[in-house]
Amino acid sequence: MTGELKFKDKVVIVTGAGGGLGKIYALEFAARGAKVVVNDLGGSSTGEGASSKAADVVVNEIKSKGGVAVANYDSVEDGEKIVATAMNNFGRVDILINNAGILRDVSFGKMTDQDWDLVYRVHMKGAYKLTRAVWNHMRDNKFGRVVMTSSAAGLYGNFGQANYGAQKMALVGFANTLAQEGKARNVNVNTIAPVAASRLTESVMPPDLLQQLKPEYIVPLVLYLCHEDTQETGSVFEVGAGWVSKVRLQRSSGVYIKDITAEKIKENWAGIENFDKPQYPTSASDSVSGILSAVSSQPATSAPLHRKPSTSAPT
Ligand code: NAI
């Protein structure tokens, strides 16, 4: 039995912390000693309106239990203002939970630019703005923990959620690169795809199922990933109802086709999609070197395929 994971004096920003998962994260981090910025725009689940009430209720609850918290009512689109709230009140940021979210579900044929743009702005641009505003600060401090919130709709697709699924998968790509850039400075970035009862799911799941999907079941994984002793980075987890699973990309071992043509693709289709001997690349250079070594049947080149951003050509 290990000791309780404490967050004494760690400064945590939780976006969308006025309800749902974010509220439970904020309460639990505060209960374990963290100073929490409770951000919430307080609008509707489809991204309309704004109110200070949602964040205030959570801050008051934390304070009534003896915890430390401050409210912020800005949209995540203005992420730098949320980070300024943390800096002005607590002087630092250690942990960022990119959690705020909305839904604008509609089949793609009926999707408007507004449905697309709003979902992009809250999920992807919001996570970008917050993370950008804390990134160099965390790197300078040689400590940071960032959690992105993805979704099964992004990992696997879901009817009526082309806008949401696109942004939720974009967050995985964002986290994958940040994990590589942050690793040497102890800035770890992981992604969760939760499933939990909240206002976003109450209309699409039956009450007895929602009972099994308490937001409280998501919080322990987030706490673990954000603890200073945890070195995990660049990973994706599906989590819900007390179940936790790590997700990775798998590809078939592939087929080398000399003088490749569409007709030869057809002939080799069964081999292309044969997953008997799967491979699990964990970086872009890993991916390309695996292809080159399969083609040449020679050991993979040891030259790194990534380059410094300042010298890299557009790809
Ligand atoms: P929720 O609707 O209860 O909580 C989201 C919170 O974000 C709300 O309090 C809302 O006011 C806030 N918010 C929305 N737009 C904002 C903005 N522009 N700036 C600041 N705050 C804003 O929903 P839930 O379920 O707790 O969702 C949390 C995250 O988990 C979201 O990113 C959601 O997409 C994701 N998620 C949830 C799943 C579930 O089963 N509940 C499934 C997969 C992903």
Side-chain angles (χ1 to χ4, degrees):
M1 182 81 182
T2 51
E4 188 184 357
L5 300 184
K6 292 282 195 190
F7 292 87
K8 187 161 168 39
D9 294 331
K10 291 277 188 278
V11 177
V12 184
I13 296 175
V14 183
T15 69
L21 292 170
K23 175 179 179 175
I24 312 296
Y25 297 146
L27 293 172
E28 193 58 32
F29 273 115
R32 289 167 183 254
K35 299 170 182 172
V36 183
V37 176
V38 176
N39 157 261
D40 206 291
L41 181 64
S44 72
S45 61
T46 51
E48 279 118 2
S51 160
S52 57
K53 191 173 167 202
D56 283 344
V57 166
V58 177
V59 168
N60 290 339
E61 186 171 340
I62 289 172
K63 286 183 173 169
S64 73
K65 292 174 176 165
V68 180
V70 63
N72 171 285
Y73 317 117
D74 289 303
S75 169
V76 286
E77 295 167 75
D78 298 315
E80 67 280 2
K81 293 185 185 168
I82 304 168
V83 174
T85 298
M87 298 303 284
N88 293 339
N89 285 274
F90 305 130
R92 58 183 293 125
V93 181
D94 300 293
I95 295 167
L96 168 62
I97 313 296
N98 285 310
N99 166 78
I102 59 166
L103 288 178
R104 307 270 304 184
D105 292 1
V106 60
S107 59
F108 191 56
K110 295 180 182 144
M111 189 169 288
T112 64
D113 284 352
Q114 196 192 16
D115 293 327
W116 180 270
D117 290 344
L118 264 178
V119 167
Y120 156 72
R121 279 162 39 200
V122 175
H123 292 275
M124 188 60 234
K125 189 176 180 191
Y128 157 71
K129 291 283 275 183
L130 267 294
T131 310
R132 185 67 189 87
V134 298
W135 190 251
N136 289 337
H137 171 74
M138 286 180 170
R139 283 173 52 85
D140 291 346
N141 287 346
K142 295 195 172 60
F143 181 82
R145 299 286 183 265
V146 180
V147 172
M148 307 293 177
T149 309
S150 184
S151 166
L155 299 179
Y156 309 113
N158 197 30
F159 193 98
Q161 295 194 309
N163 50 356
Y164 182 78
Q167 304 319 318
K168 288 307 199 188
M169 198 57 172
L171 287 164
V172 176
F174 184 42
N176 285 345
T177 289
L178 293 185
Q180 293 178 25
E181 294 189 13
K183 192 166 184 167
R185 298 290 188 102
N186 193 21
V187 181
N188 295 346
V189 186
N190 290 289
T191 305
I192 63 162
V195 56
S198 78
R199 70 177 186 172
L200 294 188
T201 48
E202 65 191 3
S203 59
V204 291
M205 290 182 187
D208 53 336
L209 179 58
L210 290 170
Q211 266 302 316
Q212 294 178 53
L213 296 172
K214 292 192 172 69
E216 284 79 356
Y217 291 137
I218 310 299
V219 180
L221 174 65
V222 170
L223 293 173
Y224 171 74
L225 292 173
C226 292
H227 196 264
E228 59 193 355
D229 292 346
T230 301
Q231 295 312 312
E232 187 76 23
T233 193
S235 299
V236 180
F237 300 90
E238 288 188 71
V239 52
W243 177 87
V244 185
S245 169
K246 188 166 176 171
V247 180
R248 64 181 173 182
L249 287 178
Q250 166 182 291
R251 70 181 182 195
S252 71
S253 54
V255 180
Y256 171 60
I257 306 170
K258 197 169 178 343
D259 301 324
I260 193 165
T261 61
E263 292 71 24
K264 289 183 184 175
I265 293 276
K266 187 177 179 184
E267 281 164 28
N268 284 282
W269 193 251
I272 291 168
E273 61 173 8
N274 183 336
F275 280 87
D276 284 352
K277 291 183 184 158
Q279 300 174 353
Y280 307 96
T282 56
S283 66
S285 56
D286 200 11
S287 163
V288 180
S289 63
I291 294 170
L292 296 180
S293 93
V295 169
S296 64
S297 297
Q298 298 294 318
T301 173
S302 57
L305 290 164
H306 64 274
R307 291 146 296 187
K308 292 235 181 285
S310 55
T311 57
S312 65
T315 51

